[in-house]
Amino acid sequence: MDKLLHSLSQNAAYVELRTPIAQNPNAHSDFTIHNNTILQQGKIWLPLGHEFIPTLLEEFHKTSLGGHTWVAKTLHHLQDNFRWSYMRHDVRQYVAHYDIYQQTKYETHRPTGLLQ
């Protein structure tokens, strides 16, 4: 968490949004600032393309926390704690391109019969 917060404090888009929220919180009703962290509806907000997004996807999908869940559960677990634009798209892309799933695909057509 410390690495994430340090990384966010160095991100230009994050700092650019945090300043107006701190100056005029009423103009940004969905956002609040708590301990120098931007929260969107109570969840940690990440800027688009942030360097920790792939780490979070891996953590919430592949480790024992995620348990190799599919898109819906991975997305649900992430949405409990974080918010970022195109989160659903990022989760779908990650799960669809996950190596294990590419190796364990099965044939979807009927087995071929005897050679005629």
Side-chain angles (χ1 to χ4, degrees):
M1 214 37 206
D2 292 333
K3 288 181 183 179
L4 173 63
L5 295 177
H6 177 71
S7 173
L8 287 172
S9 68
Q10 304 297 321
N11 186 286
Y14 192 83
V15 172
E16 188 176 313
L17 180 62
R18 188 178 61 205
T19 304
I21 294 171
Q23 291 173 350
N24 189 3
N26 295 331
H28 305 279
S29 60
D30 284 352
F31 295 99
T32 57
I33 296 180
H34 179 70
N35 292 336
N36 220 13
T37 305
I38 297 175
L39 302 177
Q40 182 181 18
Q41 299 171 343
K43 315 300 184 211
I44 297 173
W45 179 82
L46 299 175
L48 184 63
H50 189 265
E51 63 189 29
F52 263 77
I53 290 175
T55 305
L56 291 171
L57 289 169
E58 182 175 337
E59 184 72 25
F60 280 82
H61 177 73
K62 148 174 162 177
T63 63
S64 59
L65 176 67
H68 289 281
T69 55
W70 291 94
V71 173
K73 274 199 167 181
T74 302
L75 183 63
H76 177 73
H77 291 307
L78 276 168
Q79 286 176 336
D80 285 345
N81 301 296
F82 299 97
R83 293 279 191 261
W84 71 80
S85 299
Y86 304 108
M87 180 187 278
R88 182 178 308 274
H89 175 266
D90 290 345
V91 171
R92 283 184 182 161
Q93 288 290 100
Y94 182 82
V95 171
H97 292 97
Y98 189 63
D99 290 340
I100 298 295
Y101 301 140
Q102 300 303 316
Q103 295 171 0
T104 58
K105 287 186 176 180
Y106 57 90
E107 295 292 327
T108 58
H109 56 79
R110 292 180 32 192
T112 57
L114 295 175
L115 185 59
Q116 298 287 326

